[in-house]
Amino acid sequence: MMWRREHEENPRAEDTTGHHKTGFSRCTAILVCSFLLVSQLPYGSALTSTEGSSNTQTVGGANSSNGTPSSEVEPNADTRADSGDESEFTIRRLDPRVRPLLYRLTVRPFLGEGTNFTFHGHVAITLTILPGTEVDSIVFHVKQLNISADQVTVTVDQDRQTTEAGNCGRSEALAVVDQWADPVQETYTVRVSPALQPGARYVLSVPFRGQLQEATLTGFYRTSYMEDGRTKWIALTHFEATEARSAFPCFDEPVMKAMFQINIIHSSNYTAISNMPIVHTEQLENEAGWIVDHFDTSLPMSTYLVAFTLSEMVFEMAKPPPVPETNNEKTPLGVSRQPVQSSSCNDTVVPKRRSRVSALGHEPHKPDIRGQERHLGTVQQSRETRLNASFATPQQQKWRPGTSTSTNVTGSADPVKIRILVQPGFRDRAKYVLTIAPVVLKFYEDYFQTPYPLPKLDFTAVPDFSYGGMENWGAVNYWDDRILVGPETTSDNLQRAAIHIVHEFSHQWFGNLVTPIWFSETWLKEGLATFLEYRATNFVEPTWEMPDKFLNEMHRVMLQDSTRFTRPPFTAVETVTQLIQTFDSISYSKGACLYRMLNLSLTEAVFRNGLSIFINRWKYSNAQHDDLWWSLEEAIKQRSVHQRIIPANTSLKEVMNSWILQPGFPVVTVRRNYMTGSVTFKQARFTIDGHPLANSSSQAWFVPVSYLTQEEATTGAASTLPRVWLVTSEGQRSVTVERILPSGSVGASQWLLVNFQQAGYYKVNYDVDNWKLLVQQLATNPLMLPAATRAQLISDAFSLARAGALPYGITLNLTRYLRDSRVELNPVPWQAFLEGTQFLEDGLYVTRTYSSLKRYVQSVLEPLVQQLNTRPRPGDSLPTKQLRALALSRLVRLQIHSDWAQEYFAQWMAAPNNYLIPPDLRSAVFCAAVMKGSETEFSFLLEQLNNTATPSLRNELLSGVMCSQEPARIFMLLTAPLEGKILDIQDTPTVWQAVPRNPAARTVAFEYIREQWTNLTSRFPDTDYPLNDMLDGATAGLSTAEQLDQLKAFIDSHQGQFNFTITTIERAVESLQEKVTWRQRFQADIAEWLNSPASGLSREL
């Protein structure tokens, strides 16, 4: 899932799905047999009959009706209402002895005008009981669904293989002696007699009804778009992390993998997609205009990856890239593709990838689940036992599926079918996605040395989606704003589209094929996907300088990770709050930094081989970090060069556990002996405010220390491989290395650079003399150092000065090269400078020093703007376009020299349909026009916002109107997404993220949050979205002691109302406290430097 690190009218299109709607036998083997287990009714009747209210169990208060207004009944009372603080109860895990093998799921949504947006369904779950003791109860997950208790059945699965069409066998039913719902745990329990026996298989059959949600954007929900003035409805799913249970009864834990055979009943004007291809479509008997799509049986997967979508959107198909002739029977990227081979059903664990979608009339693939059942093995060990255990080989871990050749998916001679489902008016905007998608797919097949195992990969461009993307296996959902590209798309948005595509692609292997065992391991999949965003995008777009840009991601997460409220990447998940918090920048960005550190420390070859071992050992199963460490150690053993690349007498598990099991990161202090040439390296935990934390003195990491001398830089002998390791043992956290540099005056005049290209996840602080040598290097020949290193030095210097570990004079002296050398044209060092000075601007905004700081930033940026010009040039690279936009945007925010922007805007106002502002400059132009203009400019921009059909342009217009300096306009914009009039709920992050950048909006937003928090938490009781964005936006720009007191009083008066935002509010307090203290400590030092000749400021500037 793509984390939120960062919105349509179209001509109606005719049905282009190509699905034939012909009749078929009513008693199909897969679908009808599951209904016979309930009521012996054909599936049409089974999903339209009303439920007896006296025997209905309601979990979460969903409506119970048949989807037509005339038949609706009142919703049952919400049984959660009196449950108290739901986010803090301990999650009760499911019984690991009861394992699902196969879901036969049928869902019938009632979508569109004239319905009440409900859905009916039925699920038949084939279960097995693992060896051990007998089980008398089945506990599974249900949320906000109505279940008819008298139709819940459990039968012995006597039909272990197939049932002939039209001759559905009967099964022996067990007595259901009791059943009940637990709305707090979101579980449903069925007690049976006799007890379920180990090794036996059973079928749990449950009919259910629910409501298509709207505001939550989770579970099975609905959204809409406009086409020719008409509302077009979409029903779709978003299940991660635990929302599959709100769409159908299921075992909703990642470890409970099973196969899914899905059937969607829907009106024939809609198109349905799911994880697998449609193998058969038929007319629903006795109901004209309704059809049933039967989807092929999936591979084993976790419930959060299940997906189904219903819409009137249209498909666009990707063209497979040409495959040149080759003599080694491999694709251009080296992945062997073998034709699908037939095999006996008795030997099948997972279905082979099908070479083509089955012809109409073929039944869905009937899986043999016996092979899967054989490998479930013993019950999973406790987390604590496995965490402290030595590495176990895959053969010892018997509870996981095996890896015999008969279980491998071999791929297909046919290319994977890649399609995107879009609104008809957005077809052209899907071209970029469809162009790069086949290339990205091949990249990952080569990178992981594992073919993509499904026959198709669909994307759906969704107008309302709470995340950038979701990796549902074979049916990925994306927020359309994040991936659709047109001629007006900015460089940043083009880059973002590529990043979103490659992120979800990587999950098709690392996350779907191999799935983390529990949410404590979220970082395992999301960290790698974030790291590979830069690798895969660089492969697709090699001129974008993506490897360097990773440094900006690292610097942002380090800022968060240096606070007292950070957390380890691996952390216990026992409550809902803890679960939600795993989907944060620590899992994504810090996780990515740790993967990058592994990659650069072990070498690319070892790292990739380790990932390949990991995937092939645990595909179709679940894994945890110990399994990854074991795989990488296997790769280390297999390497051809046998130098030691991790500390002696240490395992990779010990090394990496020091990074994932404790919070924060170290600063490595480097002290040189200029007479002898020796260097001492010492580690300690880094905190951004410079204050040691409780127990931080006992913290230590295995730190890979690479370094580069000035002499080595001239000879090209640079490497990211560690030359020294700092370890966790007492007495070895500080290491002295002799003769790194020449002794005496020769060595004393040369600089030393540690952590080359910031390969390691740590900061470096030198003695003052070495800092001065590095400052001099940047002043005289900055391009001698790589762009990543230049950005590293800037970021480290600002962070260290902020913590009081480095004089601000050295930090600001270091930045002078950006202005004076006039050769820095890489956006990555500039981004580090702009982020560093942004904190200074925020902290000093209420002081007299702010004007001098503003003049200095202006003096640094103006020579760059003179080089780049305010008008784009033909042939500008994407990084050049991004850099120009960065510089001009900051100057506009500082209200400096914005005449050029107002000229652009005036020309556009005069001819809005004929004049185009350069895409990369639009944001700055919109902001300048609203900031400097009158009601006329604001109203014009708001009108354009309401009329635009382009998602990316809409976001820019929204950010532009948020530059208003009028409190009344700001208040209107802050509340508009929640009112749903001129803005949508999905606009909330864009609106509130703009608040800290506009001083005029900060007070308005803070007052609104304080006054409306109780109402807001009542409206969004079960999620952090959009409250985290609102709370963060309202507090990030605060800076005074008075505001700190107000924030603390706000928290005290709303105790118990921060269930899903506790981390955000705690960080807000810490950040504001730090700003107040920081200003008291450092304002005078900064003012002194700004007023000194060193700043180079003239009085005329």
Side-chain angles (χ1 to χ4, degrees), residues 459-488:
F459 311 141
T460 301
V462 184
D464 286 303
F465 203 63
S466 57
Y467 291 82
M470 177 59 210
E471 67 266 21
N472 312 311
W473 213 358
V476 180
N477 288 338
Y478 289 102
W479 186 2
D480 57 9
D481 174 57
R482 294 298 187 257
I483 63 166
L484 300 182
V485 171
E488 78 296 326

Short mmCIF file of all heavy atoms in Angstrom, two decimals, residues 459-488:
data_model
loop_
_atom_site.label_atom_id
_atom_site.label_comp_id
_atom_site.label_asym_id
_atom_site.label_seq_id
_atom_site.Cartn_x
_atom_site.Cartn_y
_atom_site.Cartn_z
N PHE A 459 -5.27 -2.44 -13.23
CA PHE A 459 -5.25 -1.25 -12.40
C PHE A 459 -6.64 -0.61 -12.48
O PHE A 459 -7.28 -0.64 -13.53
CB PHE A 459 -4.25 -0.20 -12.88
CG PHE A 459 -2.88 -0.72 -13.16
CD1 PHE A 459 -2.17 -0.26 -14.25
CD2 PHE A 459 -2.29 -1.68 -12.36
CE1 PHE A 459 -0.90 -0.73 -14.53
CE2 PHE A 459 -1.03 -2.15 -12.61
CZ PHE A 459 -0.33 -1.67 -13.71
N THR A 460 -7.07 -0.03 -11.39
CA THR A 460 -8.28 0.78 -11.41
C THR A 460 -7.91 2.17 -10.92
O THR A 460 -7.35 2.33 -9.84
CB THR A 460 -9.38 0.20 -10.51
OG1 THR A 460 -9.68 -1.13 -10.94
CG2 THR A 460 -10.64 1.04 -10.58
N ALA A 461 -8.19 3.18 -11.74
CA ALA A 461 -7.94 4.58 -11.37
C ALA A 461 -9.18 5.11 -10.68
O ALA A 461 -10.21 5.35 -11.32
CB ALA A 461 -7.60 5.41 -12.60
N VAL A 462 -9.08 5.27 -9.36
CA VAL A 462 -10.24 5.53 -8.52
C VAL A 462 -10.30 7.01 -8.15
O VAL A 462 -9.29 7.58 -7.73
CB VAL A 462 -10.17 4.68 -7.22
CG1 VAL A 462 -11.42 4.88 -6.38
CG2 VAL A 462 -9.98 3.21 -7.56
N PRO A 463 -11.47 7.65 -8.28
CA PRO A 463 -11.55 9.08 -7.93
C PRO A 463 -11.49 9.35 -6.44
O PRO A 463 -11.15 10.47 -6.05
CB PRO A 463 -12.90 9.52 -8.52
CG PRO A 463 -13.70 8.26 -8.63
CD PRO A 463 -12.71 7.17 -8.91
N ASP A 464 -11.84 8.39 -5.60
CA ASP A 464 -11.79 8.59 -4.15
C ASP A 464 -11.08 7.39 -3.53
O ASP A 464 -11.63 6.29 -3.50
CB ASP A 464 -13.19 8.73 -3.55
CG ASP A 464 -13.81 10.07 -3.86
OD1 ASP A 464 -13.19 11.09 -3.50
OD2 ASP A 464 -14.90 10.11 -4.46
N PHE A 465 -9.88 7.64 -3.04
CA PHE A 465 -9.08 6.56 -2.48
C PHE A 465 -8.22 7.16 -1.37
O PHE A 465 -7.66 8.25 -1.53
CB PHE A 465 -8.20 5.94 -3.57
CG PHE A 465 -7.77 4.53 -3.27
CD1 PHE A 465 -8.71 3.52 -3.15
CD2 PHE A 465 -6.43 4.21 -3.11
CE1 PHE A 465 -8.31 2.22 -2.87
CE2 PHE A 465 -6.02 2.93 -2.84
CZ PHE A 465 -6.97 1.92 -2.72
N SER A 466 -8.14 6.46 -0.26
CA SER A 466 -7.49 7.06 0.91
C SER A 466 -5.98 6.95 0.87
O SER A 466 -5.30 7.59 1.67
CB SER A 466 -8.02 6.41 2.19
OG SER A 466 -7.83 5.01 2.17
N TYR A 467 -5.43 6.15 -0.04
CA TYR A 467 -3.98 6.03 -0.17
C TYR A 467 -3.60 6.22 -1.63
O TYR A 467 -4.46 6.25 -2.51
CB TYR A 467 -3.50 4.67 0.33
CG TYR A 467 -3.62 4.49 1.83
CD1 TYR A 467 -4.82 4.12 2.42
CD2 TYR A 467 -2.53 4.71 2.66
CE1 TYR A 467 -4.93 3.97 3.79
CE2 TYR A 467 -2.64 4.57 4.04
CZ TYR A 467 -3.84 4.20 4.60
OH TYR A 467 -3.94 4.06 5.96
N GLY A 468 -2.33 6.32 -1.89
CA GLY A 468 -1.89 6.47 -3.27
C GLY A 468 -2.18 5.25 -4.10
O GLY A 468 -2.51 5.34 -5.28
N GLY A 469 -2.06 4.07 -3.48
CA GLY A 469 -2.32 2.83 -4.19
C GLY A 469 -2.46 1.68 -3.22
O GLY A 469 -2.07 1.77 -2.06
N MET A 470 -3.03 0.57 -3.71
CA MET A 470 -3.18 -0.63 -2.90
C MET A 470 -2.90 -1.83 -3.79
O MET A 470 -3.48 -1.97 -4.86
CB MET A 470 -4.59 -0.71 -2.30
CG MET A 470 -4.84 -1.98 -1.52
SD MET A 470 -3.68 -2.17 -0.14
CE MET A 470 -3.59 -3.95 -0.04
N GLU A 471 -2.03 -2.72 -3.29
CA GLU A 471 -1.44 -3.76 -4.10
C GLU A 471 -2.26 -5.02 -4.26
O GLU A 471 -1.72 -6.11 -4.49
CB GLU A 471 -0.08 -4.16 -3.49
CG GLU A 471 -0.14 -4.84 -2.12
CD GLU A 471 0.00 -3.90 -0.96
OE1 GLU A 471 -0.25 -2.68 -1.15
OE2 GLU A 471 0.36 -4.34 0.14
N ASN A 472 -3.58 -4.97 -4.16
CA ASN A 472 -4.41 -6.16 -4.34
C ASN A 472 -3.84 -7.03 -5.46
O ASN A 472 -3.59 -6.54 -6.56
CB ASN A 472 -5.84 -5.78 -4.69
CG ASN A 472 -6.40 -4.70 -3.78
OD1 ASN A 472 -6.31 -4.78 -2.57
ND2 ASN A 472 -6.98 -3.68 -4.40
N TRP A 473 -3.71 -8.30 -5.19
CA TRP A 473 -2.98 -9.17 -6.11
C TRP A 473 -3.72 -9.28 -7.44
O TRP A 473 -4.83 -9.80 -7.51
CB TRP A 473 -2.79 -10.54 -5.49
CG TRP A 473 -1.50 -11.19 -5.90
CD1 TRP A 473 -0.57 -10.70 -6.75
CD2 TRP A 473 -0.99 -12.44 -5.43
NE1 TRP A 473 0.50 -11.55 -6.86
CE2 TRP A 473 0.27 -12.64 -6.05
CE3 TRP A 473 -1.45 -13.41 -4.55
CZ2 TRP A 473 1.05 -13.78 -5.83
CZ3 TRP A 473 -0.68 -14.54 -4.32
CH2 TRP A 473 0.55 -14.72 -4.96
N GLY A 474 -3.11 -8.76 -8.47
CA GLY A 474 -3.69 -8.83 -9.80
C GLY A 474 -4.76 -7.80 -10.08
O GLY A 474 -5.28 -7.73 -11.20
N ALA A 475 -5.12 -6.98 -9.08
CA ALA A 475 -6.18 -5.98 -9.25
C ALA A 475 -5.84 -4.77 -8.39
O ALA A 475 -6.48 -4.50 -7.38
CB ALA A 475 -7.54 -6.56 -8.87
N VAL A 476 -4.84 -4.03 -8.79
CA VAL A 476 -4.32 -2.91 -8.00
C VAL A 476 -5.24 -1.70 -8.14
O VAL A 476 -5.70 -1.38 -9.24
CB VAL A 476 -2.89 -2.54 -8.46
CG1 VAL A 476 -2.35 -1.37 -7.66
CG2 VAL A 476 -1.97 -3.75 -8.35
N ASN A 477 -5.51 -1.05 -7.02
CA ASN A 477 -6.26 0.20 -7.04
C ASN A 477 -5.31 1.37 -6.84
O ASN A 477 -4.41 1.30 -5.99
CB ASN A 477 -7.32 0.23 -5.94
CG ASN A 477 -8.48 -0.70 -6.23
OD1 ASN A 477 -8.73 -1.07 -7.38
ND2 ASN A 477 -9.20 -1.10 -5.20
N TYR A 478 -5.51 2.43 -7.61
CA TYR A 478 -4.74 3.66 -7.47
C TYR A 478 -5.69 4.84 -7.37
O TYR A 478 -6.75 4.87 -8.01
CB TYR A 478 -3.83 3.90 -8.67
CG TYR A 478 -2.65 2.98 -8.80
CD1 TYR A 478 -2.67 1.91 -9.72
CD2 TYR A 478 -1.50 3.16 -8.03
CE1 TYR A 478 -1.57 1.08 -9.85
CE2 TYR A 478 -0.41 2.33 -8.16
CZ TYR A 478 -0.45 1.29 -9.07
OH TYR A 478 0.63 0.46 -9.19
N TRP A 479 -5.30 5.81 -6.60
CA TRP A 479 -5.98 7.10 -6.63
C TRP A 479 -5.65 7.72 -7.99
O TRP A 479 -4.49 7.90 -8.35
CB TRP A 479 -5.47 7.95 -5.48
CG TRP A 479 -6.15 9.26 -5.29
CD1 TRP A 479 -7.19 9.78 -6.00
CD2 TRP A 479 -5.82 10.24 -4.30
NE1 TRP A 479 -7.54 11.01 -5.53
CE2 TRP A 479 -6.72 11.33 -4.48
CE3 TRP A 479 -4.87 10.31 -3.29
CZ2 TRP A 479 -6.67 12.47 -3.69
CZ3 TRP A 479 -4.83 11.44 -2.50
CH2 TRP A 479 -5.73 12.51 -2.70
N ASP A 480 -6.67 8.05 -8.78
CA ASP A 480 -6.41 8.50 -10.15
C ASP A 480 -5.52 9.73 -10.20
O ASP A 480 -4.72 9.89 -11.12
CB ASP A 480 -7.72 8.74 -10.92
CG ASP A 480 -8.66 9.74 -10.25
OD1 ASP A 480 -8.25 10.41 -9.27
OD2 ASP A 480 -9.82 9.85 -10.70
N ASP A 481 -5.62 10.56 -9.19
CA ASP A 481 -4.79 11.76 -9.14
C ASP A 481 -3.31 11.43 -9.10
O ASP A 481 -2.46 12.23 -9.49
CB ASP A 481 -5.17 12.59 -7.91
CG ASP A 481 -4.26 13.77 -7.69
OD1 ASP A 481 -4.14 14.59 -8.61
OD2 ASP A 481 -3.64 13.85 -6.61
N ARG A 482 -2.98 10.23 -8.62
CA ARG A 482 -1.57 9.87 -8.44
C ARG A 482 -0.91 9.22 -9.66
O ARG A 482 0.31 9.16 -9.72
CB ARG A 482 -1.43 8.92 -7.24
CG ARG A 482 -1.79 9.54 -5.89
CD ARG A 482 -0.85 10.71 -5.58
NE ARG A 482 -1.04 11.22 -4.24
CZ ARG A 482 -1.69 12.34 -3.93
NH1 ARG A 482 -2.25 13.05 -4.89
NH2 ARG A 482 -1.78 12.75 -2.69
N ILE A 483 -1.70 8.73 -10.61
CA ILE A 483 -1.06 7.98 -11.71
C ILE A 483 -1.43 8.46 -13.10
O ILE A 483 -0.73 8.10 -14.05
CB ILE A 483 -1.38 6.48 -11.60
CG1 ILE A 483 -2.88 6.22 -11.75
CG2 ILE A 483 -0.84 5.89 -10.31
CD1 ILE A 483 -3.22 4.77 -12.00
N LEU A 484 -2.49 9.24 -13.26
CA LEU A 484 -2.89 9.67 -14.59
C LEU A 484 -2.07 10.88 -15.02
O LEU A 484 -1.87 11.81 -14.25
CB LEU A 484 -4.37 9.98 -14.63
CG LEU A 484 -5.29 8.79 -14.27
CD1 LEU A 484 -6.75 9.19 -14.39
CD2 LEU A 484 -4.99 7.58 -15.16
N VAL A 485 -1.61 10.86 -16.26
CA VAL A 485 -0.65 11.84 -16.76
C VAL A 485 -1.16 12.46 -18.06
O VAL A 485 -1.61 11.75 -18.96
CB VAL A 485 0.72 11.18 -16.99
CG1 VAL A 485 1.67 12.13 -17.71
CG2 VAL A 485 1.32 10.72 -15.67
N GLY A 486 -1.12 13.79 -18.14
CA GLY A 486 -1.50 14.50 -19.36
C GLY A 486 -0.47 15.55 -19.70
O GLY A 486 0.54 15.71 -19.00
N PRO A 487 -0.71 16.31 -20.76
CA PRO A 487 0.28 17.32 -21.17
C PRO A 487 0.47 18.41 -20.13
O PRO A 487 1.48 19.10 -20.13
CB PRO A 487 -0.31 17.88 -22.48
CG PRO A 487 -1.76 17.51 -22.45
CD PRO A 487 -1.85 16.23 -21.70
N GLU A 488 -0.53 18.58 -19.24
CA GLU A 488 -0.42 19.61 -18.21
C GLU A 488 0.22 19.09 -16.94
O GLU A 488 0.35 19.83 -15.95
CB GLU A 488 -1.82 20.17 -17.90
CG GLU A 488 -2.68 19.28 -17.01
CD GLU A 488 -3.03 17.94 -17.63
OE1 GLU A 488 -3.20 17.88 -18.87
OE2 GLU A 488 -3.13 16.96 -16.88
#
